[in-house]
Amino acid sequence: MKKILFDLSVCQPIGDSKFHGGGVYGYIVFKRLANLCPENLIVYINNDAFIPNDILAIIQEKNIETHNSGTEKITDLYCQNKFSVLYSPLWSDSYTELFPLGVRIIFTQHGLRALEMNRDKYEYIYARDFKSRLKAAIKQTFLFKYIQQKYYCSFQKALSYPNSQIITVSNHSKSSILYYYPFIDSSKITVCYSPDTSDGTEPSQRQFDFEYYLLVSANRWLKNSFRAILAFDRIIDKQLSTKKMVVIGLTTGNAFLKKIKHPDSFVFLPYLDRADLEAAYKYAYCLIYPSLNEGFGYPPLEAMKYGVPIIASPLASIPEVCGDSVLYANPYSVDEIAMRIIQIENAEEHKQYSSKAHIRQKHIANVQAEHLEQLVSIIHNSIK
């Protein structure tokens, strides 16, 4: 029987974080594939790293064969005829060792941030330690061009490999791949939207007794939270005296607080557990999502399901996901972000975009469900 090796090791912790975007994506795809064809699956996973309990339960319940990525090489497993197709939720340079063997490889490429988006003048503000400050400084030198070129060459090998098939998570990401790698046959790339990550967790009780604008993942410069904070700070006196801004993802807001005039109007929080994050979305007056680059972008959808209006960046995949259901603002213009905040303060505008949010979220959820089925079919059909 032909088998698919599902590389779950790339979904496991990166650094101190147990979960990351590509990993959560991979777990969802694995669950659906395990329900569809468990007899055709082999799992490649690091036994010494964190594995979610629900994933372990599925592996045990379905009696899926596993191999330890810490002690066994993929090339050896292939030579032992353990599998005929490799699927990975994230590309790994280690797969190039399979090229001489002619292995069929299907992988998901979430985006090309390293090529599309490299630096921002405010990046240094987000630096939390010497390493991140050094990285920000290097990006302002010729060395970053070298790093970028290295990424370009590495990924080009994957795309050039005749037995590879690429899944990507948005039409934006597909067009980006075709732009940077014009030699690729577009039929080799299939767009399947990132699946819905909702796990049924109910929001906890309302955490704040005031109305608030919400920012998430604020410790990452690509999310561009600092400009939104500056915009809110500029108009708090005249336009927003009864509201505050809740900023999630920072253990400390000191670097930002030094730059603003009204620190009491901001609440800085670390990353929240799922129930508290759901509550933060549900009770927000508005989510501001000024991201500079996204392969897909979940936060607007997380807020839209509660009818929360969105002010968003019109860059990369964001307009593809959000359509005409949000207010767009130039993410590089503090003034324009402030203008859109003033606009959403209008009661009729707020009501209109709340209604649009519900409709758009339901539409995208349906597309996500269809695309997840399409993705698992592509993987399953690769061994038929």
Side-chain angles (χ1 to χ4, degrees), residues 109-120 148 151 169-170 172-173 175-177 180 217 220-225 227 289-300 312-319 321 331-332:
Q109 182 64 26
H110 297 261
L112 293 180
R113 241 176 217 165
L115 299 178
E116 293 177 38
M117 186 72 222
N118 50 35
R119 70 191 80 182
D120 184 78
Q148 193 177 46
Y151 178 93
V169 297
S170 64
H172 163 76
S173 290
S175 64
S176 177
I177 293 170
Y180 287 106
S217 301
R220 300 170 59 192
W221 69 272
L222 277 162
K223 301 301 181 182
N224 195 36
S225 297
R227 285 188 177 90
Y289 193 64
S291 179
L292 302 177
N293 187 277
E294 295 294 331
F296 184 73
Y298 279 114
S313 161
L315 303 182
S317 66
I318 299 171
V321 172
Y332 292 101

Side-chain angles (χ1 to χ4, degrees), residues 10 49 67 163 227 287:
V10 298
H67 291 273
N163 281 349
R227 285 188 177 90
L287 171 73

Side-chain angles (χ1 to χ4, degrees), residues 187-225:
S187 64
K188 194 174 183 177
I189 308 170
T190 302
V191 174
C192 293
Y193 278 9
S194 290
D196 185 355
T197 58
S198 300
D199 60 3
T201 301
E202 291 295 322
S204 60
Q205 293 184 344
R206 183 170 184 142
Q207 300 155 291
F208 310 106
D209 59 0
F210 50 83
E211 287 190 302
Y212 60 92
Y213 285 76
L214 180 65
L215 286 170
V216 296
S217 301
N219 64 326
R220 300 170 59 192
W221 69 272
L222 277 162
K223 301 301 181 182
N224 195 36
S225 297

